[in-house]
Amino acid sequence: MTARVPASMRHRILAVVIDSAIAAAVNGIAVGVVFALSMVTAVPIFWLLPVLAVVSTAWFLVHTGMQGGRGSLGMRFMGVRLAHASDDAELGFGRALGRNLLWGLTASIVVGFFSPLFDSSRWRRGWHDLASGAVVVDVAPAPRPSAPVEQSPSDVRPAPLPAVLAATVPPAPSGAVRPVGAPASGPLPPPSWAPAPVPANRRIPRTLPVDVISTVPGVPHRDGRPATAERVAPPVIAILGWDDGTRHTVYEPTLFGRGPGQQPGRRSTAVRDETLSLSKTHFEIRADDEGTWVVDRHSLNGVVIVRAGQPQRLMPGRRARVWSGDVLELGDRRLTVESAR
């Protein structure tokens, strides 16, 4: 079973609004037809109520059947659907019918509209979801090209010195002596780079350009200056992958959130969040000699580390060690630690 992503509250609310508008349109068409017939024929106007009841019931059953399958029209438009809480199977007509009846009953006392807000988990299940064993999930998006992996400076390696030497060797002059067995005309064959034996008492001249030696990391300059540390890349603290495909490579202590402010000694990284799950300053990633750590910066939804399927909520302000493969749950957002020290 693939990992499921909870549907955001915004998408769920918009799906209900769209379905309600469609139901109102269907009932409006039925009312208009009966009213028009009563004007031009002898159909009594009091037939309006039974016709409206029949049309409403029929549309309710059709709507429920779609919800139990691939989703209602509003759900399909917003990219969400209903599924069993225990697996990823379709909810089915029976469970969907019970869910809708319970939702209508609890909504009649108003509080049923807000029951999903009483669930502190990232699934935000209302009373009708809990009773029917349902969850509202995002439909798996179509495959899309993955974003290019940001290459850290520590992954950049200088070219081997033989390749540098080969790149700096000037082309052979036009009057160069052709090797034995080469054709009399045409371009010379590529040279063989097998080194020839050199007499022990022969001094090899310095033929390399100064800038070639100077750009080899760790090699002192020809003028006697020591090798500088400017070319040494900073170590990578962690590589983070968000549930929307965004990736961050962390090189220094970094604050993450919807709009973290500037703090001395820390880098601030703003994260786009349409679910409103992230706080302005939600968490911090930093590292020391022991490894990589995460700190909940007293966020509203908190930070939950899921390791080997076991969730653990962090205490605000206290650091916790993270490892490669850990998943951080931040309200409705999920963050995978792809690499850590």
Side-chain angles (χ1 to χ4, degrees):
M1 181 181 66
T2 58
R4 299 180 295 178
V5 178
S8 66
M9 288 301 299
R10 184 171 69 91
H11 288 176
R12 292 169 62 175
I13 293 173
L14 289 177
V16 173
V17 171
I18 293 173
D19 287 334
S20 300
I22 294 175
V26 171
N27 292 326
I29 292 174
V31 171
V33 169
V34 173
F35 185 77
L37 290 176
S38 66
M39 295 293 292
V40 300
T41 64
V43 176
I45 192 64
F46 63 82
W47 280 25
L48 179 62
L49 292 179
V51 170
L52 185 60
V54 171
V55 171
S56 299
T57 303
W59 177 250
F60 173 76
L61 295 177
V62 172
H63 170 76
T64 301
M66 289 190 294
Q67 279 188 319
R70 295 174 52 196
S72 64
L73 297 179
M75 287 181 171
R76 298 183 192 185
F77 184 80
M78 296 308 304
V80 301
R81 68 179 180 88
L82 292 175
H84 281 287
S86 58
D87 53 41
D88 202 31
E90 295 179 350
L91 190 61
F93 178 80
R95 288 177 179 266
L97 179 60
R99 178 180 181 272
N100 288 338
L101 292 176
L102 183 60
W103 184 82
L105 180 63
T106 56
S108 63
I109 57 175
V110 181
V111 69
F113 283 109
F114 305 99
S115 62
L117 302 180
F118 303 154
D119 184 10
S120 60
S121 71
R122 64 192 184 98
W123 292 101
R124 291 289 193 266
R125 301 174 67 191
W127 294 337
H128 51 296
D129 294 321
L130 295 172
S132 59
V135 291
V136 187
V137 300
D138 268 336
V139 177
R144 59 180 180 180
S146 58
V149 179
E150 182 182 354
Q151 186 181 26
S152 63
S154 60
D155 294 334
V156 178
R157 297 291 184 268
L161 191 56
V164 176
L165 297 180
T168 57
V169 174
S174 59
V177 178
R178 294 181 176 273
V180 177
S185 61
L188 290 175
S192 174
W193 295 108
V198 179
N201 58 351
R202 178 182 175 183
R203 183 175 181 273
I204 300 178
R206 297 169 59 182
T207 58
L208 288 177
V210 174
D211 57 348
V212 173
I213 292 296
S214 300
T215 55
V216 177
V219 178
H221 294 269
R222 287 184 180 273
D223 56 6
R225 291 182 292 119
T228 63
E230 296 176 354
R231 300 182 181 273
V232 178
V236 176
I237 293 178
I239 299 178
L240 310 177
W242 291 87
D243 48 15
D244 60 359
T246 305
R247 306 178 77 183
H248 289 111
T249 302
V250 183
Y251 300 101
E252 56 188 325
T254 304
L255 300 173
F256 289 90
R258 289 186 290 107
Q262 298 296 327
Q263 295 189 14
R266 291 174 174 83
R267 183 182 182 89
S268 297
T269 299
V271 180
R272 182 178 179 181
D273 177 35
E274 297 180 352
T275 67
L276 301 181
S277 296
L278 300 182
S279 300
K280 183 177 180 181
T281 302
H282 201 105
F283 66 96
E284 176 185 355
I285 294 289
R286 64 173 184 248
D288 55 19
D289 293 339
E290 298 180 9
T292 303
W293 304 85
V294 62
V295 180
D296 178 7
R297 297 298 298 267
H298 300 274
S299 60
L300 179 62
N301 288 325
V303 178
V304 176
I305 298 180
V306 180
R307 181 176 300 158
Q310 299 297 323
Q312 179 66 44
R313 182 173 292 273
L314 304 188
M315 293 290 294
R318 294 188 179 181
R319 68 177 191 173
R321 180 73 186 278
V322 291
W323 305 85
S324 300
D326 286 350
V327 176
L328 306 183
E329 294 186 350
L330 318 164
D332 291 334
R333 300 299 304 273
R334 290 172 63 87
L335 175 65
T336 302
V337 181
E338 298 181 358
S339 176
R341 287 188 183 179

